[in-house]
Amino acid sequence: MTRPPAGTPYWDPAELPTQPQLHGVVTADVAVVGAGLAGLSCAYHLAERAPGLDIAVVDAEHPAAGASGRGTGLLGPRAGPAVDRAVRRFGPQTARSMHRASERAVRDVLALCARLDVPCGLRPGEQLVATRSSAGLVALARQARACRELGLDVPVLSPAGIRDRVGVPYRAALLHRPAATLDPAALTCALARACADKGVRFYGRSPLLALRPGDLVGPELVLPHGRLYAGQAVLAVNSAAQTLNLPVGTVLPLEVYAVATEPLSAPAYEALGGRAGHSVVDAVPLAPYFRLLPDRGLVAGGGTATVPAGVGAPRLQAVRERAWARLERWLRSLHPDLARVRVTHRWSGRIGMTGDDLPVVGPVPGFDDVWYIGGCCGHGLALSVAHGAHVAAALLGEPEPGEPLPWHRSRAPRLPARGPVPVRPLLRAYVDAMGRIARHTC
């Protein structure tokens, strides 16, 4: 069994609705498995658009226990591969639609925060995709050219333009708007409370063990202490799809890492763009990135990704310690005043990676009235909310207008990801396609 992520996130647990364990036989019109942003967004939009619908949300632990509560809270536009690679794979029209869909997803989260009046430290700002390396310059040049040809509003920043925003000597950057930073656990918990206010029932500490076709209508969900029979089901379980043997292709779990610091000095906070709320993401995939917090602290993430399957507990913990130490060294390089700043939180989380960098949002093959959501490849804060809304509309027979996007599909590519040895060539291929990644596998 894959061990859970480690460490304590910066984000404090928030108030949650009552979540009894599921016992016996339970029925619902719609069962949503997974109380992260994707599942809760689906339940919320179903309850809002179809009042009176009997909706049950089931989770192995509780809302925000997984990736939605262990992220770093960067809200920005990105869906699937970088825009230049999207043009090569799908053509200019689809690449433009993909990017604009990701921008809409950001705006929808901002609107959701306003509607829910969420106290989640929301700071609208700009997201800089920047680089200090020659490889990053090449990648940014290709993306900038593609954005210009597609008519996308993604300005290029010179070193001087970057310094006006963030006092770190980056060589170039692309400026993405809309964007923001926020507390992802607070948003997830607020969405859970909003669902409960609309009559959605919650069951916690009830992991899904198996999914079976129902004898009458809809699927049968097998849980440790009971059964849930539903007319329709949504499995917002991300990389747990492999454990459940869902026929949705390979959604590989990657463990990623983050640290948070005590409040910075006022000069360091201002120099790093604290007043404006910028976030800075490196152009090299999974390289370190940072954002600032309302209390003047700093969160850094990235730098290392681990495939935890098949890794023994002592080795996995050693990998985590090295990843956190690497992040600490990197953040201290950002500004002289960070040389002795104290790290107060260290944690890891799980993302779902697909072999082609695209999510999977679609019906589960072989099961009537069952949908799956997962595989956002590290860009899930905005996309998860959008995917939940998309599936809710589909379940209600009110599909969104326009052509389906490339991630509206039932399967990701099937990859030989079982066990530690096949993972190595998988990651090498992924690195060749996307850029450098620090790898730690057995």
Side-chain angles (χ1 to χ4, degrees):
M1 177 178 288
T2 301
R3 295 169 184 82
T8 302
Y10 171 82
W11 328 109
D12 290 328
E15 179 186 353
L16 289 171
T18 302
Q19 310 151 67
Q21 205 171 30
L22 191 147
H23 285 265
V25 176
V26 175
T27 62
D29 294 327
V30 181
V32 177
V33 181
L37 284 170
L40 293 173
S41 171
C42 184
Y44 176 82
H45 285 94
L46 283 170
E48 188 173 60
R49 295 169 68 167
L53 196 67
D54 183 20
I55 304 166
V57 174
V58 183
D59 194 85
E61 295 184 51
H62 56 78
S68 294
R70 302 183 72 88
T72 50
L74 272 66
L75 181 68
R78 171 70 187 271
V83 64
D84 58 310
R85 292 191 294 117
V87 170
R88 293 197 298 271
R89 287 173 56 183
F90 305 111
Q93 182 174 341
T94 298
R96 185 186 301 111
S97 297
M98 291 167 64
H99 186 81
R100 288 183 171 163
S102 74
E103 292 179 327
R104 285 195 304 274
V106 172
R107 288 192 289 268
D108 287 346
V109 172
L110 294 174
L112 180 65
C113 289
R115 189 158 64 248
L116 299 179
D117 192 21
V118 182
C120 64
L122 177 67
R123 303 183 72 203
E126 299 172 333
Q127 187 174 102
L128 284 67
V129 177
T131 187
R132 290 189 269 185
S133 72
S134 298
L137 280 175
V138 172
L140 286 185
R142 290 171 176 164
Q143 293 174 40
R145 186 181 307 113
C147 289
R148 185 172 61 251
E149 292 173 352
L150 294 176
L152 301 176
D153 180 23
V154 183
V156 177
L157 295 181
S158 67
I162 298 169
R163 283 196 302 272
D164 289 342
R165 293 167 168 83
V166 180
V168 180
Y170 287 101
R171 298 170 66 182
L174 298 182
L175 185 66
H176 288 278
R177 300 173 297 221
T181 56
L182 53 80
D183 175 339
L187 173 59
T188 307
C189 294
L191 196 52
R193 294 193 300 272
C195 287
D197 289 343
K198 293 180 180 295
V200 174
R201 291 176 289 135
F202 282 82
Y203 298 95
R205 296 173 293 118
S206 301
L208 180 63
L209 302 180
L211 175 72
R212 299 170 181 164
D215 293 330
L216 296 175
V217 177
E220 175 190 5
L221 283 66
V222 181
L223 306 154
H225 303 290
R227 301 286 190 274
L228 174 54
Y229 295 91
Q232 299 170 306
V234 179
L235 307 182
V237 297
N238 207 17
S239 59
Q242 284 184 241
T243 305
L244 295 168
N245 292 317
L246 297 179
V248 295
T250 300
V251 182
L252 186 69
L254 281 188
E255 185 166 291
V256 293
Y257 305 92
V259 297
T261 73
E262 65 184 350
L264 311 183
S265 68
Y269 191 70
E270 290 303 315
L272 294 173
R275 183 176 301 175
H278 303 308
S279 58
V280 181
V281 180
D282 199 289
V284 176
L286 289 176
Y289 61 87
F290 75 92
R291 57 157 294 192
L292 296 172
L293 297 163
D295 70 355
R296 294 210 336 236
L298 179 148
V299 169
T304 304
T306 305
V307 179
V311 181
R315 177 168 172 78
L316 185 57
Q317 187 58 33
V319 168
R320 290 166 173 164
E321 295 292 340
R322 288 196 296 270
W324 289 323
R326 181 183 181 197
L327 275 176
E328 289 185 32
R329 290 193 299 271
W330 178 83
L331 72 85
R332 296 185 198 286
S333 73
L334 294 173
H335 189 276
D337 285 6
L338 272 62
R340 293 180 177 82
V341 69
R342 184 170 61 94
V343 169
T344 57
H345 297 77
R346 309 187 311 167
W347 72 97
S348 64
R350 297 279 166 82
I351 63 174
M353 185 191 90
T354 63
D356 59 1
D357 205 27
L358 287 172
V360 179
V361 185
V364 175
F367 289 88
D368 294 333
D369 297 314
V370 178
W371 284 62
Y372 168 79
I373 304 173
C376 287
C377 301
H379 304 287
L381 206 165
L383 287 182
S384 293
V385 174
H387 294 337
H390 170 81
V391 172
L395 293 179
L396 294 174
E398 303 169 2
E400 298 167 346
E403 292 295 319
L405 291 160
W407 52 81
H408 293 154
R409 57 184 184 162
S410 293
R411 285 189 176 92
R414 186 71 183 168
L415 299 169
R418 296 234 179 240
V421 175
V423 158
R424 288 180 173 176
L426 165 63
L427 282 180
R428 279 197 292 272
Y430 189 69
V431 172
D432 290 342
M434 295 188 62
R436 181 179 56 82
I437 174 179
R439 299 190 301 277
H440 293 278
T441 61
C442 283

